[in-house]
Amino acid sequence: MLLQIMEEPELPVLLVNEVGGALGVLEAHVPFLKKHFHLITMKEFLESKEYFSAKIKAIYVWWHKPVIDEELLKSLPNLKVIANSGVGMDHLDLELISGFGVKMASAPYAVSTSTADIGMALLLTAARKLVEGCQIAVSPDTEQLPINWLGDDISGATLGIIGMGSIGYKIAQRARAFEMKILYHNRNRRKEDEELIVGACYCQKIDDLLQQSDFVMLVVNLTPQTYKLIGKRELELMKPTATLINISRGPVIDQDALVEALQSGVIKGVAMDVTYPEPLPRDHPLLKLKNVIITPHLGSKTHKTAYMITEEAVENILAALWGLPMPSEVFPG
């Protein structure tokens, strides 16, 4: 790799954690990345730090790796931009990175469709009791399928969406097709014509949404303001027949309060694509409850979306290196 860099200096050098494996960029994306960059893995960088330090212009953070800390930033004097493979930036110290004069980008456009899909998938799975139904159907002990195995209709039910950005709005579009009543709470109200298109009603107070909804979907970024947004008080405002769905970040919910609410019947159930930590410890009480559905952060994990994320990252990196406006630039604060 070092020889290749010396022979072909015209492409900017991009640092990635590794190629392939559990913590690396996908091997299928490497040919596309190599059209625009010389790829350097963290292992190669650490082995030849003196040579590569001044050459690396950009970092592609794929599923939180590599870890961006002060030591790494100090070792890369010509670093211009860091592109993240998702919309959530809570794993990055934005103030620290900005302090080094490095620009940052997320991938909000790439992930919105598939994340909205997983939100509706979890809603349907919880409402129609698909996980338990599958277990009954495949169990060696099943001799007769129960005729009294009943789920809930979502048609006509009320969905409360907390966070009406691009993902939340796409959930509203899908929910409208299922003939659901849609409430939403957001920092800023949507335009009236956007509300009319999906039939959504704005709730200025989150309490009003919680009290009226049969399903509550969390679609917010993790910030100091949304940390443990849903706690004991909020859970007790919900209907005892309601289901909570989280496709944002685990710490948006107070998990201790959630366990208590699920055990005591304060709410009917929860379906989560995110937890904290990920994965949960194997003895965590949430894993022992029957009214819990957990998936392993599948929101944007489709072949098409993963490739779109990489395309969006490349577009942002190249824009930063060429001094052009970045389509998905993220600012601290």
Side-chain angles (χ1 to χ4, degrees):
M1 179 65 71
L2 181 58
L3 179 60
Q4 182 184 19
I5 293 293
M6 293 174 68
E7 291 175 346
E8 301 180 57
E10 69 276 3
L11 291 179
V13 178
L14 175 68
L15 178 65
V16 298
N17 192 57
E18 61 182 345
V19 174
L23 301 174
V25 295
L26 299 178
E27 292 183 7
H29 299 184
V30 171
F32 174 68
L33 288 169
K34 284 188 173 180
K35 289 181 180 179
H36 303 281
F37 309 105
H38 284 296
L39 294 188
I40 298 298
T41 66
M42 278 297 295
K43 181 175 183 294
E44 291 167 331
F45 168 65
L46 294 174
E47 289 174 349
S48 305
K49 185 179 288 189
E50 288 186 7
Y51 180 79
F52 287 126
S53 287
K55 295 185 178 297
I56 293 171
K57 299 291 182 67
I59 300 176
Y60 184 21
V61 177
W62 181 260
W63 294 107
H64 298 196
K65 297 293 182 178
V67 174
I68 309 298
D69 55 20
E70 188 171 5
E71 180 182 358
L72 180 61
L73 291 168
K74 284 182 176 179
S75 68
L76 302 174
N78 294 317
L79 181 66
K80 302 297 182 187
V81 59
I82 296 172
N84 181 51
S85 64
V87 64
M89 303 287 281
D90 48 279
H91 56 290
L92 296 171
D93 188 333
L94 304 188
E95 294 286 351
L96 173 67
I97 295 168
S98 178
F100 279 83
V102 176
K103 294 187 175 184
M104 296 163 286
S106 63
Y109 306 112
V111 305
S112 59
T113 296
S114 58
T115 305
D117 287 346
I118 206 72
M120 290 304 297
L122 286 171
L123 190 157
L124 287 162
T125 298
R128 300 304 300 270
K129 303 166 74 171
L130 296 184
V131 173
E132 295 169 270
C134 177
Q135 293 169 347
I136 291 173
V138 304
S139 171
D141 299 324
T142 298
E143 296 180 358
Q144 181 177 334
L145 298 178
I147 60 173
N148 61 344
W149 185 254
L150 303 177
D152 296 316
D153 287 311
I154 67 168
S155 177
T158 299
L159 170 62
I161 301 172
I162 300 177
M164 191 64 108
S166 59
I167 297 172
Y169 195 76
K170 288 193 174 186
I171 290 167
Q173 291 173 323
R174 286 152 175 73
R176 181 173 177 81
F178 280 97
E179 301 175 348
M180 300 188 78
K181 300 172 185 176
I182 302 166
L183 306 176
Y184 80 97
H185 173 77
N186 202 44
R187 286 182 301 174
N188 301 306
R189 184 171 182 174
R190 284 269 184 173
K191 296 177 181 178
E192 185 177 354
D193 61 333
E194 293 174 333
E195 292 179 345
L196 290 172
I197 289 171
V198 296
C201 295
Y202 177 64
C203 294
Q204 185 173 2
K205 296 181 179 179
I206 193 172
D207 292 8
D208 294 335
L209 180 148
L210 294 171
Q211 291 170 331
Q212 298 178 60
S213 299
D214 300 302
F215 300 89
V216 175
M217 184 96 66
L218 300 174
V219 204
V220 296
N221 291 326
L222 178 60
T223 67
Q225 292 72 38
T226 61
Y227 177 73
K228 293 189 177 180
L229 177 68
I230 303 298
K232 185 175 186 296
R233 188 190 76 87
E234 290 74 24
L235 290 164
E236 289 177 348
L237 288 173
M238 293 174 62
K239 298 179 181 180
T241 55
T243 297
L244 179 64
I245 302 158
N246 189 11
I247 58 170
S248 54
R249 286 292 185 268
V252 170
I253 300 176
D254 181 338
Q255 285 185 173
D256 292 335
L258 177 63
V259 169
E260 184 179 338
L262 292 167
Q263 290 173 335
S264 60
V266 170
I267 63 172
K268 182 176 183 179
V270 67
M272 304 184 293
D273 192 39
V274 289
T275 60
Y276 67 94
E278 293 180 356
L280 288 172
R282 297 298 87 185
D283 61 348
H284 196 283
L286 280 173
L287 302 181
K288 298 177 174 62
L289 297 175
K290 291 184 178 180
N291 52 349
V292 173
I293 297 170
I294 299 176
T295 50
H297 209 142
L298 298 177
S300 59
K301 290 181 180 176
T302 70
H303 293 289
K304 180 180 178 180
T305 297
Y307 197 80
M308 288 172 62
I309 288 171
T310 295
E311 288 181 319
E312 191 168 351
V314 168
E315 183 179 6
N316 278 286
I317 292 170
L318 293 177
L321 296 182
W322 293 339
L324 300 174
M326 296 166 60
S328 311
E329 185 169 2
V330 174
F331 301 93

